[in-house]
Amino acid sequence: MEQLKSRNEVEEKYTWDLSDLFVSDEAFESAVENVRPEIKAFSEKYSGSLSDAKTAIEAIEYYKDLTESLVPIGAYANLRMASDQGDASAQRLSGLASNIGTYYSSETSFLTSELLQKDASFLEDIKSESSEFESFVDELLKHKPYQLDANVEKALASYSTVFEGPYSLYQKTKLLDIDFGTFSANGEEIPLSYLAFEGELEGHENAEIRRNAFRAFSDKLGQYQHTTAATYDLQLKQEKTTADLRGFDSVFDYLLHRQDVDQSLYNRQIDMIMSDLAPHMRRYAKLLKRVHGLDEMKYEDLKISLDPSSEPEISIEESRKYINDALAIMGDDYINMVNRAYDERWIDFVKNKGKSTGAFCSSPYGSHPFILISWTSLMTEVFVLAHELGHAGHFYNANRSQNVFDSRSSMYFVEAPSTMNEMLMANHLLENSDDPKFKRWVISSIISRTYYHNCVTHLLEAAYQREVYKKVDQNESVSAPVLNQLKREVIEQFWGDDVSITEGAELTWMRQPHYYMGLYPYTYSAGLTIATAMSKRVMNEGQAAVDDWLKVLNAGGTKDPVELARMGGVDITTEQPLRDTIDYIGELVDQLEKLTEEIEG
Ligand SMILES: [Zn+2]
């Protein structure tokens, strides 16, 4: 097994090129220095002086420019850190970005406060005199009931770096302090890290390697559980306090308010999947057990693929053709973006020490998207890449069509365009193969990656998170034993007697940064529900459905999730799309069972 390289040893052509944001760290630093007096000038000019709609529009215009100049600063610092958390100069830049971000928030907070003190006709005047800021004003009005006194808002904004503290502490413990060392299996010493475990070892086809890796990984996690739980508890306390201060009935209402959805959509997603998807996934677990000849199906066996030998290897260059072919239906403009992503180094493919785990896409307004992935040369990476390019295609379009305030859609919708691309990739691969083994590999990929990842892994996080927030709403604190128990209960409820839940599985809550991003985990299955319905429409209706979908992508954050889905012809106010999605997963498991019989003949 390979030792991870340092960042300075990797092949440059497979790293992202951040010079589109800033040509150098020095250029970044001068941008930070230059924007500070601009922010100061803004508050000096407009604080206390929003006498009429015309001046208010000027102020919003200025504020828009400031916001746009802060975007690349934040993005550059984050991306530098994401490529190597241990890089001292990246840490320094990150500190600078965070400080200027705090200064910006606190110096500009008067704008919202003062606008919301005006009467309704004043705000109506802004809307009628500047159609560009209609959504901006509507968004303000939505927050009006929860707005605090101007001085309190300013004080809270000044603490924004402190409020980001728990997330930053979590990342430091996870990516810098924990040293997983090595573990032994089959008489070999194998290096262990987050990247190695999540990238390869947890799905390794050799049971001894996989199970010993899990043991060593969770033993090491266990040594950090109390620090991590205390860090998380701080995050929860902060969210609960904010919810209370702002007058929300519960922490759920506070967190969902930001997503423009109500509790019914949230709870439906968790309840229905826990009860109705579980039987299908247990069938899938049984199939894995049979095919791999395991005497017992353990928690740490769930990530194995049904037939690893049928998974082709793929190079970065080869992936482009698959992606191009699968996403061609989205049109030339979309494919042009995909090719630019490869040609202009928007993607960071390499593996190195200190790099963030998983994959993500960051789409700074005014620039182009950047994608982080750690390429393993397995076919499954084309799904990961198609997914991230889905985020890219979303914001590439939204950023071009909307102003900086209106480009981000609700978190509820964010995973729809990405998972939509996974569906397009799967459909493309299935259409172009007659080989039962490859077909079975594709279907098992859709299940084990797309649906497992979004509707099981993240959904179990969501179900656990809901239990955590119920405690928070009752003013309880959480500790490692409490979190372990909640996590274990959720896992056991979902898998029943069909999977034995090994000791260490309860620590899975420690692995996920999503818990520092509000009610994020459940949105994966919500997005995929929309994507499943949408990809069916594309398969059945072709161009008309693609056109609708492109309009949805362009709409950015100007519509709430219910409206966005409706623009795509999907009604998420009913349970039908989720019901159809669960049925579809059931059909996929049926097909896997059938193909397996055919292959085993
Ligand atoms: Zn995603």
Side-chain angles (χ1 to χ4, degrees), residues 84-131:
D84 187 1
Q85 301 276 335
D87 180 340
S89 54
Q91 290 176 0
R92 190 173 154 268
L93 299 188
S94 168
L96 292 177
S98 140
N99 291 342
I100 193 73
T102 300
Y103 183 68
Y104 155 85
S105 307
S106 80
E107 285 297 307
T108 59
S109 72
F110 75 89
L111 181 68
T112 306
S113 297
E114 290 187 23
L115 287 173
L116 285 177
Q117 280 159 15
K118 306 282 182 194
D119 52 33
S121 69
F122 187 95
L123 296 174
E124 284 306 321
D125 286 349
I126 296 179
K127 281 166 69 173
S128 60
E129 285 174 41
S130 161
S131 60

Side-chain angles (χ1 to χ4, degrees), residues 387-388 391 415 418 524:
H387 176 106
E388 300 308 335
H391 289 304
E415 294 299 335
S418 51
Y524 280 84

Side-chain angles (χ1 to χ4, degrees), residues 116-354:
L116 285 177
Q117 280 159 15
K118 306 282 182 194
D119 52 33
S121 69
F122 187 95
L123 296 174
E124 284 306 321
D125 286 349
I126 296 179
K127 281 166 69 173
S128 60
E129 285 174 41
S130 161
S131 60
E132 193 197 348
F133 297 137
E134 259 186 61
S135 301
F136 177 82
V137 171
D138 288 339
E139 198 61 20
L140 281 184
L141 287 169
K142 218 184 76 193
H143 295 296
K144 185 167 178 147
Y146 311 105
Q147 183 75 6
L148 302 170
D149 174 77
N151 286 326
V152 178
E153 289 291 349
K154 180 162 183 175
L156 288 177
S158 315
Y159 276 109
S160 57
T161 321
V162 180
F163 291 153
E164 287 156 18
Y167 176 52
S168 157
L169 279 176
Y170 168 79
Q171 292 283 65
K172 294 264 187 297
T173 308
K174 173 177 171 175
L175 297 167
L176 295 181
D177 281 349
I178 305 186
D179 179 356
F180 288 95
T182 60
F183 70 100
S184 44
N186 303 331
E188 246 190 294
E189 278 299 303
I190 301 172
L192 186 61
S193 64
Y194 252 103
L195 266 185
F197 184 72
E198 294 187 343
E200 259 167 282
L201 295 166
E202 70 172 336
H204 204 287
E205 60 180 304
N206 181 290
E208 185 171 332
I209 293 182
R210 180 174 72 243
R211 290 177 176 179
N212 290 7
F214 178 79
R215 175 83 284 125
F217 186 74
S218 22
D219 284 351
K220 186 53 84 173
L221 280 184
Q223 293 171 9
Y224 291 81
Q225 59 181 308
H226 301 293
T227 309
T228 310
T231 305
Y232 182 37
D233 189 48
L234 276 179
Q235 171 79 17
L236 297 168
K237 286 211 163 74
Q238 171 184 310
E239 287 168 339
K240 175 63 177 159
T241 306
T242 309
D244 288 347
L245 271 179
R246 295 194 177 280
F248 288 92
D249 292 336
S250 73
V251 74
F252 292 103
D253 291 321
Y254 161 59
L255 295 170
L256 289 171
H257 175 75
R258 290 193 277 176
Q259 295 182 5
D260 274 329
V261 296
D262 60 30
Q263 285 205 30
S264 70
L265 265 70
Y266 168 72
N267 287 318
R268 178 206 294 149
Q269 209 66 28
I270 297 175
D271 293 336
M272 258 177 81
I273 292 181
M274 285 300 284
S275 63
D276 296 5
L277 178 62
H280 295 310
M281 293 313 295
R282 290 182 199 177
R283 250 187 328 129
Y284 172 69
K286 276 189 197 148
L287 187 63
L288 282 180
K289 181 181 168 202
R290 200 184 91 202
V291 170
H292 283 266
L294 300 170
D295 47 353
E296 191 185 12
M297 188 68 191
K298 292 169 175 259
Y299 179 77
E300 61 268 39
D301 298 326
L302 285 165
K303 291 283 177 80
I304 46 181
S305 77
L306 197 57
D307 179 8
S309 67
S310 298
E311 173 166 11
E313 296 238 333
I314 185 166
S315 68
I316 290 172
E317 307 305 334
E318 287 162 340
S319 71
R320 183 200 296 240
K321 169 131 181 58
Y322 281 99
I323 302 258
N324 266 308
D325 291 347
L327 304 184
I329 191 158
M330 294 298 295
D332 290 344
D333 183 58
Y334 201 96
I335 289 300
N336 180 40
M337 177 208 75
V338 167
N339 286 320
R340 284 186 63 198
Y342 279 91
D343 294 333
E344 297 172 23
R345 288 174 52 212
W346 296 3
I347 308 170
D348 204 72
F349 290 101
V350 295
K351 288 197 270 189
N352 61 263
K353 278 187 213 143

Side-chain angles (χ1 to χ4, degrees), residues 26 80 126 131 141 166 224 247 340 371 396 488 500 514:
E26 292 70 35
R80 286 275 274 104
I126 296 179
S131 60
L141 287 169
Y224 291 81
R340 284 186 63 198
I371 290 172
Y396 180 76
R488 173 168 281 273
S500 96
H514 290 160

Side-chain angles (χ1 to χ4, degrees), residues 12-135:
E12 192 187 43
K13 72 169 177 167
Y14 294 124
T15 61
W16 51 29
D17 177 8
L18 300 183
S19 69
D20 289 340
L21 292 168
F22 293 104
V23 289
S24 62
D25 289 358
E26 292 70 35
F28 166 91
E29 288 196 41
S30 4
V32 173
E33 275 163 36
N34 292 339
V35 78
R36 189 174 283 273
E38 300 268 334
I39 296 171
K40 181 99 195 127
F42 170 70
S43 63
E44 279 173 2
K45 182 158 183 201
Y46 293 108
S47 176
S49 326
L50 302 175
S51 48
D52 51 53
K54 193 171 156 285
T55 316
I57 290 169
E58 260 175 45
I60 301 171
E61 207 55 82
Y62 195 142
Y63 177 60
K64 189 184 84 171
D65 292 344
L66 284 180
T67 307
E68 283 182 23
S69 45
L70 261 290
V71 170
I73 291 174
Y76 185 82
N78 284 338
L79 297 175
R80 286 275 274 104
M81 274 292 270
S83 46
D84 187 1
Q85 301 276 335
D87 180 340
S89 54
Q91 290 176 0
R92 190 173 154 268
L93 299 188
S94 168
L96 292 177
S98 140
N99 291 342
I100 193 73
T102 300
Y103 183 68
Y104 155 85
S105 307
S106 80
E107 285 297 307
T108 59
S109 72
F110 75 89
L111 181 68
T112 306
S113 297
E114 290 187 23
L115 287 173
L116 285 177
Q117 280 159 15
K118 306 282 182 194
D119 52 33
S121 69
F122 187 95
L123 296 174
E124 284 306 321
D125 286 349
I126 296 179
K127 281 166 69 173
S128 60
E129 285 174 41
S130 161
S131 60
E132 193 197 348
F133 297 137
E134 259 186 61
S135 301

Side-chain angles (χ1 to χ4, degrees), residues 488-529:
R488 173 168 281 273
E489 282 168 4
V490 163
I491 299 173
E492 286 176 346
Q493 187 196 336
F494 189 83
W495 293 109
D497 296 332
D498 294 307
V499 176
S500 96
I501 310 304
T502 320
E503 203 189 320
E506 69 280 358
L507 295 168
T508 307
W509 63 267
M510 292 178 65
R511 293 168 52 183
Q512 195 43 265
H514 290 160
Y515 302 129
Y516 296 87
M517 302 166 191
L519 297 177
Y520 191 18
Y522 92 101
T523 63
Y524 280 84
S525 69
L528 182 53
T529 303

